Amino acid sequence: MRKLIVLFFIFSGSTLFAQQKFEKELRISEAEVPAKSLDFAQSLLPDSRLKWFKETGLSTQSFEAKTKYQRKKYSVEFSLDGKLEDVEVEVKSKELSESVLDTIQDQFEEDFQKYRLKKIQIQYSGDQLDVLQFFNQCLGNDRLQINFEVVVSAKKEDSFGLYEYLFNSRGELLKKSEIILKMTDNIIY
């Protein structure tokens, strides 16, 4: 029985990065975006120039609005039918609480020989009206799901790669993926 448990941990540890992430963004016009997505993004980020993208992943598609608003980079993602998926705001590591940052860094030290933080985003999701009220400072964040999405460049087993981690508001790991930088159907020699 002990051998079975040990084998489980060996194989589960080696498949932690089996999940891969690929995203391809294609710039689109506002006319291609569902009206309710446009309305929400304009209500959330008034007087900002929104750039719209259609994002294609390995098994998903979505619309995304990106802009810089009040000196921060925002990304608002919607499903193809216009439903809000999340709002992401890029932050610096010093803007995270010390305990959350320590927990996140402990995870990276466990997973990698070397690492460097490339991007940190606070991810807000929940009911569209609750998200809008939160950003307009009319509502606390207790009705929202708040996560941290962290992109890290790291060395693992003598090779460098790019990884995306998702942590909850306490810094506990929810998901990690290796980022595929380029999709190709051709064999490259």
Side-chain angles (χ1 to χ4, degrees), residues 71-72 90-102 104-105 117 119-120 122 148:
R71 301 173 58 138
K72 292 211 179 263
E90 194 168 326
V91 295
K92 299 195 181 312
S93 60
K94 64 184 177 184
E95 296 177 64
L96 301 182
S97 74
E98 190 174 323
S99 64
V100 168
L101 185 59
D102 287 345
I104 290 171
Q105 288 177 326
L117 300 176
K119 180 168 67 169
I120 301 173
I122 301 177
F148 299 103

Side-chain angles (χ1 to χ4, degrees), residues 17 105-116 152-161 163 165:
F17 286 109
Q105 288 177 326
D106 288 346
Q107 180 68 52
F108 294 146
E109 288 170 10
E110 180 181 314
D111 289 351
F112 304 115
Q113 296 160 329
K114 288 182 178 182
Y115 71 90
R116 189 173 70 144
V152 60
S153 173
K155 182 178 182 182
K156 181 177 176 69
E157 299 172 6
D158 297 326
S159 67
F160 284 90
Y163 302 90
Y165 279 66

Side-chain angles (χ1 to χ4, degrees), residues 76-88:
V76 186
E77 192 166 359
F78 301 91
S79 64
L80 292 180
D81 65 355
K83 184 178 182 221
L84 176 68
E85 291 183 4
D86 59 51
V87 176
E88 295 174 336

Side-chain angles (χ1 to χ4, degrees), residues 35-171:
K36 64 183 181 179
S37 298
L38 282 171
D39 293 343
F40 179 81
Q42 291 167 347
S43 297
L44 180 70
L45 305 162
D47 304 321
S48 62
R49 293 177 44 161
L50 298 171
K51 294 179 182 176
W52 287 94
F53 299 86
K54 186 168 186 180
E55 188 174 276
T56 304
L58 291 173
S59 61
T60 61
Q61 287 190 335
S62 61
F63 292 111
E64 189 169 22
K66 293 183 179 189
T67 192
K68 195 167 186 178
Y69 181 71
Q70 296 179 346
R71 301 173 58 138
K72 292 211 179 263
K73 291 180 181 178
Y74 281 74
S75 168
V76 186
E77 192 166 359
F78 301 91
S79 64
L80 292 180
D81 65 355
K83 184 178 182 221
L84 176 68
E85 291 183 4
D86 59 51
V87 176
E88 295 174 336
V89 182
E90 194 168 326
V91 295
K92 299 195 181 312
S93 60
K94 64 184 177 184
E95 296 177 64
L96 301 182
S97 74
E98 190 174 323
S99 64
V100 168
L101 185 59
D102 287 345
T103 304
I104 290 171
Q105 288 177 326
D106 288 346
Q107 180 68 52
F108 294 146
E109 288 170 10
E110 180 181 314
D111 289 351
F112 304 115
Q113 296 160 329
K114 288 182 178 182
Y115 71 90
R116 189 173 70 144
L117 300 176
K118 299 290 277 180
K119 180 168 67 169
I120 301 173
Q121 293 178 307
I122 301 177
Q123 185 184 78
Y124 302 91
S125 55
D127 179 72
Q128 212 165 286
L129 184 59
D130 291 343
V131 172
L132 190 59
Q133 288 179 339
F134 170 75
F135 278 94
N136 289 329
Q137 278 103 35
C138 301
L139 181 73
N141 66 5
D142 58 324
R143 292 172 61 180
L144 301 180
Q145 174 73 37
I146 298 176
N147 294 321
F148 299 103
E149 188 177 276
V150 182
V151 175
V152 60
S153 173
K155 182 178 182 182
K156 181 177 176 69
E157 299 172 6
D158 297 326
S159 67
F160 284 90
L162 205 55
Y163 302 90
E164 182 180 276
Y165 279 66
L166 186 65
F167 298 95
N168 68 16
S169 59
R170 294 177 302 282

